[in-house]
């Protein structure tokens, strides 16, 4: 398994070795030794796993968890193709307001690690795109917040010609600047503190 840091502080991409044979193929989307080598700590204790299936053109996000408690994620696409996006919304972070993306597909089987406080979005590029992810904390509705993926300041690589399919919640979500003004964004130092306790 190889890894590389993304442009967002603390976020990483992982690419497993794929073993094809006459039966099909085998791979391990998460491998603790590679993860620990890349990040200097093991993966968080898993509190929940999520599974979603999306039509082509669906945009989910930008989602994040109020910090504290904060949630780290390890995201993988077992079926279909998606652009997975990490958005740094941590106030005080050296990469605040920036985003980076990874193509998750059935050729490289990459996975993405998003640290506590980083916003997450993805764009389904094919019908029946399945996303599977591990989370460091359980879902609690009032802690789950959303930012607008249509925010022109961010300029995410959304489907053109009005083809993006969004939930009502994501359509109505504030921009990064609006959420900042309203004090809804996590602080970088608080995210790092939670991160420190999450992985131990």
């Amino acid at each position: 398994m190889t890894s590389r840091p993304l442009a967002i502080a603390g976020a990483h991409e992982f690419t497993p070795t794929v073993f094809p044979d006459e039966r099909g193929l085998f791979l391990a989307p998460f491998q603790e030794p590679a993860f620990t080598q890349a990040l200097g700590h093991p993966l968080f204790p898993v509190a929940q796993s999520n599974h979603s299936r999306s039509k082509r053109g669906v945009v989910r996000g930008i989602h994040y968890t109020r910090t504290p408690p904060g949630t780290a994620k390890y995201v993988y696409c077992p079926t279909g193709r998606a652009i997975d996006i990490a958005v740094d919304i941590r106030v005080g972070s050296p990469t605040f307001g920036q985003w980076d993306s990874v193509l998750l597909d059935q050729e490289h089987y990459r996975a993405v690690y998003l640290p506590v406080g980083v916003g997450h979005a993805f764009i389904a590029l094919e019908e029946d795109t399945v996303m599977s992810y591990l989370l460091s904390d359980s879902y609690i509705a009032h802690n789950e917040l959303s930012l607008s993926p249509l925010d022109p300041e961010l300029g995410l690589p959304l489907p053109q010609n009005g083809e993006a399919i969004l939930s009502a919640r994501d359509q109505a979500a504030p921009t990064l600047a609006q959420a900042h003004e309203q004090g809804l964004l996590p602080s970088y130092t608080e995210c790092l503190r939670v991160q420190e306790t999450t992985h131990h």
Side-chain angles (χ1 to χ4, degrees):
M1 175 172 263
T2 60
S3 70
R4 73 176 180 95
L6 298 182
I8 303 307
H12 261 73
E13 168 196 293
F14 292 90
T15 306
T17 303
V18 180
F19 299 96
D21 64 21
E22 66 280 359
R23 299 166 300 170
L25 58 80
F26 177 86
L27 62 116
F30 171 73
Q31 297 171 42
E32 188 88 32
F35 186 94
T36 304
Q37 184 178 4
L39 284 130
H41 55 73
L43 186 71
F44 47 79
V46 175
Q48 182 170 315
S49 69
N50 287 357
H51 173 108
S52 70
R53 189 173 71 204
S54 301
K55 299 175 180 175
R56 187 175 72 82
V58 164
V59 178
R60 295 185 192 250
I62 304 162
H63 297 155
Y64 67 105
T65 307
R66 203 184 301 275
T67 307
T71 302
K73 298 176 181 176
Y74 191 87
V75 185
Y76 172 66
C77 176
T79 304
R81 287 168 71 237
I83 298 172
D84 201 67
I85 304 170
V87 185
D88 198 342
I89 61 170
R90 301 166 298 180
V91 178
S93 164
T95 53
F96 176 77
Q98 297 177 35
W99 58 270
D100 199 357
S101 66
V102 174
L103 177 64
L104 303 185
D105 61 19
Q106 306 311 295
E107 184 181 353
H108 300 101
Y109 295 93
R110 296 183 187 99
V112 176
Y113 168 73
L114 300 116
V116 169
V118 170
H120 178 235
F122 69 82
I123 302 159
L125 301 178
E126 288 181 3
E127 294 296 328
D128 295 326
T129 289
V130 173
M131 299 290 270
S132 176
Y133 34 111
L134 306 175
L135 302 138
S136 65
D137 209 354
S138 302
Y139 177 87
I140 300 168
H142 71 262
N143 285 336
E144 296 303 317
L145 302 174
S146 185
L147 297 174
S148 173
L150 306 172
D151 184 346
E153 291 292 306
L154 288 174
L156 299 186
L158 301 179
Q160 297 307 306
N161 312 322
E163 285 184 9
I165 304 166
L166 277 71
S167 70
R169 171 190 172 215
D170 290 343
Q171 283 178 6
T175 64
L176 183 69
Q178 288 167 341
H180 194 183
E181 285 166 19
Q182 295 165 28
L184 296 173
L185 300 179
S187 101
Y188 184 56
T189 50
E190 184 66 3
C191 289
L192 292 182
R193 189 191 65 74
V194 170
Q195 183 89 8
E196 196 62 30
T197 56
T198 301
H199 287 277
H200 298 292

